[in-house]
Amino acid sequence: MTVPLVVDASIVPGVVAVVTVTVATLAIGTWGLRFSRTTSDFFVASRTVRPGLNASAIGGEYLSAASFLGVAGLVLTFGADMLWYPVGWTAGYLVLMVLVAAPLRRSGAYTLPDFAEARLASRGVRSVSSVLVVGIGWLYLLPQFQGAGLTLQAAIDAPQWVGPLVVGIVVLVNVGSGGMRSITFVQAFQYWLKLTALLLPACVLLAVWAGDGAPNPTTVGPGAGADFWSLPLGEGGAQGLYVTYSLIVATFLGTMGLPHVVVRFYTNPDGRAARRTTLIVLALLGLFYLLPPVYAALGRIYAADLAVSGSDVLVLELPRLMVGGLLGELLTALVTAGAFAAFLSTSSGLSIAVAGVLSQDVTGRRFGRHRLPGVTAFRVAAVISVVVPALVSVAAADVGVARTVGLAFAVAASTFCPLLLLGIWWRGLTAPGAIAGLVVGGLGSGMAVGWTLASSSTTGWVAVLLGQPAAWSVPSAMLTMVVVSRLTRDQVPAHAGRFMVRLHTPESVDLDRGLGR
């Protein structure tokens, strides 16, 4: 007797969406492979990516699971104060453009550890920086895999582990085959896909809302009334104020310390192009971040129960809840495609950054008489960079997406932000000062991450201070770097003055002639 195969028709659009995005990603990555020939292509696309393409690629990798799913869920649950997340994530590029983008490109580095070693002439600083890059990268990869699991679970009722498995395989194929050159084309495509996947359903949902009489979202749902616009982030006024400012510090300053963001600026032809890229990124991010609050506001009317049962799936569930029938399923499939693109693009960028560091400092090192070739070492490092966080995401599936990304920003702001700002703008920074500051900022914010991920407590000053550590960990790291550098001023690198001239001199100026050579 043959048992007929029964397929739930409601999951077909979601399956088609995920398969289409996966195939398109692999196809574009394979097409980009034809341009990847050298080690420089794998690491920084031979520094030939133009501002428009690079900005789209940055938007593709930066708009992660936290942006696509987490922002709408946070605003639904906690109110408009959560808009500080997208505001800070966007404004971070303004700080990056003004203070870091062009000098960092002129440094000629491939990775953050490269910059640290070149600026301070210290292998110790490089080693500490490498550990931090890998740690931040893995912490940021964790919510991407978690979001993928949530998306496939909501769209096609797949087990939680399927999302990390699919994303991990696709990312490994793309990153391992073509490196940065290939991923650039993939991420640029995925930005526009994500924007479209939120914009078109939002237009339809707003039309439905208007047809229902345009009810006011502040008068219904969780925290109804005026509190929607002034809901404290912590318990009590002082705690709420602290959390708000700590969140602002983390998001404004953390962007410049994210390894997958910084590495993209090395791909520009020159410093001027790096600044133009950042300006375009600001416009692209501002356009995108107009949309998640729309879903949150509509969710307060049509999906208020998700504030308790699982706000991270609001964007995925809202079209089906507001629009019935085939159109609702098609809109759900579209946002599913956008969400899956978010996981793929951000995971690809992070994997590139982590693999670049691991290939230089771990897999590419000589062991006895043996040493892996550059591209092979990079591919082995890519496997390590993907497999570790994928396994952790399966074991820790109940951590909030936006919460984990916020912690990654706090660690980045507490470590690489002081290093970059002082390394670029202060000649007096020394290797002992940099190491001390990185250790203080890394241990302080890292302790907060460990406590937050292990604890469910959200009340009291201990939970508030450790849940949002940037307000105290960033100043601590900065002050430590300055004080220790002052105490070791005799160890300022001999080449520091000339290196800083290089960082701040436009490429159009003949540096050798200007220095009298």
Side-chain angles (χ1 to χ4, degrees):
M1 179 178 178
T2 303
V3 179
L5 178 64
V6 179
V7 178
D8 185 355
S10 65
I11 71 170
V12 172
V15 173
V16 172
V18 171
V19 171
T20 301
V21 171
T22 301
V23 172
T25 298
L26 292 173
I28 296 173
T30 303
W31 177 77
L33 176 60
R34 60 192 292 191
F35 302 103
S36 298
R37 292 291 181 268
T38 66
T39 301
S40 181
D41 283 329
F42 271 79
F43 281 103
V44 291
S46 293
R47 307 188 194 278
T48 58
V49 184
R50 296 298 174 181
L53 176 61
N54 211 12
S56 294
I58 290 173
E61 71 176 1
Y62 190 65
L63 296 171
S64 64
S67 298
F68 201 92
L69 300 179
V71 170
L74 285 173
V75 177
L76 168 69
T77 304
F78 299 108
D81 274 1
M82 290 296 137
L83 293 176
W84 278 116
Y85 274 100
V87 169
W89 288 336
T90 305
Y93 274 93
L94 181 61
V95 179
L96 186 65
M97 179 178 69
V98 173
L99 299 176
V100 174
L104 193 62
R105 169 59 189 89
R106 296 185 189 115
S107 71
Y110 283 104
T111 63
L112 276 170
D114 282 344
F115 170 81
E117 183 180 24
R119 169 65 177 83
L120 297 166
S122 168
R123 290 290 301 180
V125 176
R126 180 188 183 92
S127 298
V128 176
S129 299
S130 297
V131 171
L132 288 170
V133 165
V134 174
I136 294 170
W138 281 348
L139 183 61
Y140 210 122
L141 273 166
L142 181 61
Q144 312 314 315
F145 291 125
Q146 291 172 329
L150 286 173
T151 298
L152 292 191
Q153 192 174 49
I156 62 176
D157 199 26
Q160 186 79 24
W161 56 267
V162 173
L165 177 65
V166 174
V167 169
I169 291 173
V170 175
V171 168
L172 278 178
V173 170
N174 268 343
V175 171
S177 62
M180 180 65 79
R181 176 79 75 179
S182 178
I183 289 300
T184 297
F185 297 112
V186 171
Q187 290 173 332
F189 157 75
Q190 287 170 337
Y191 167 79
W192 295 103
L193 173 60
K194 284 184 279 191
L195 181 65
T196 303
L198 282 188
L199 180 59
L200 292 183
C203 293
V204 175
L205 299 183
L206 286 173
V208 172
W209 170 72
D212 288 343
N216 188 342
T218 65
T219 61
V220 296
D227 285 346
F228 175 65
W229 303 109
S230 58
L231 190 67
L233 289 172
E235 182 180 321
Q239 293 180 14
L241 191 63
Y242 166 82
V243 173
T244 299
Y245 283 108
S246 189
L247 177 63
I248 291 172
V249 170
T251 53
F252 275 51
L253 301 181
T255 301
M256 72 177 69
L258 294 176
H260 67 301
V261 169
V262 173
V263 74
R264 290 228 61 97
F265 288 95
Y266 300 138
T267 66
N268 282 119
D270 51 44
R272 183 169 178 267
R275 281 205 176 100
R276 288 183 59 196
T277 295
T278 314
L279 185 61
I280 300 172
V281 170
L282 280 168
L284 296 181
L285 296 185
L287 178 62
F288 180 89
Y289 280 129
L290 293 174
L291 299 174
V294 172
Y295 284 81
L298 294 175
R300 297 176 69 83
I301 303 170
Y302 298 98
D305 58 312
L306 290 179
V308 177
S309 61
S311 60
D312 280 340
V313 298
L314 170 66
V315 172
L316 302 171
E317 296 289 349
L318 191 61
R320 188 182 287 126
L321 294 173
M322 290 182 62
V323 183
L326 179 60
L327 179 58
E329 296 300 332
L330 291 176
L331 293 177
T332 299
L334 183 56
V335 294
T336 299
F340 211 68
F343 314 136
L344 290 174
S345 57
T346 303
S347 299
S348 298
L350 287 163
S351 300
I352 284 277
V354 174
V357 170
L358 288 177
S359 65
Q360 290 187 353
D361 297 330
V362 181
T363 61
R365 298 187 66 179
R366 183 180 298 277
F367 296 95
R369 297 182 178 180
H370 302 285
R371 183 174 186 172
L372 292 175
V375 173
T376 303
F378 179 87
R379 287 170 171 159
V380 173
V383 174
I384 298 173
S385 67
V386 170
V387 170
V388 172
L391 293 176
V392 174
S393 71
V394 175
D398 58 343
V399 181
V401 171
R403 187 184 187 193
T404 312
V405 169
L407 292 172
F409 270 79
V411 177
S414 305
T415 52
F416 289 121
C417 170
L419 177 66
L420 288 171
L421 290 181
L422 295 177
I424 290 173
W425 296 99
W426 184 43
R427 182 182 177 277
L429 181 67
T430 66
I435 292 174
L438 289 173
V439 170
V440 168
L443 288 179
S445 57
M447 176 184 65
V449 169
W451 186 92
T452 303
L453 295 181
S455 172
S456 59
S457 175
T458 58
T459 59
W461 272 108
V462 172
V464 169
L465 290 172
L466 294 179
Q468 287 289 348
W472 55 267
S473 58
V474 173
S476 298
M478 186 80 73
L479 182 62
T480 300
M481 284 192 186
V482 172
V483 171
V484 176
S485 293
R486 287 290 190 186
L487 295 175
T488 58
R489 58 172 58 94
D490 58 322
Q491 297 186 44
V492 173
H495 74 291
R498 178 172 177 81
F499 192 85
M500 295 191 71
V501 169
R502 175 183 176 184
L503 294 180
H504 297 286
T505 302
E507 288 81 359
S508 58
V509 176
D510 188 333
L511 184 59
D512 287 341
R513 182 179 299 175
L515 292 175
R517 292 184 61 182

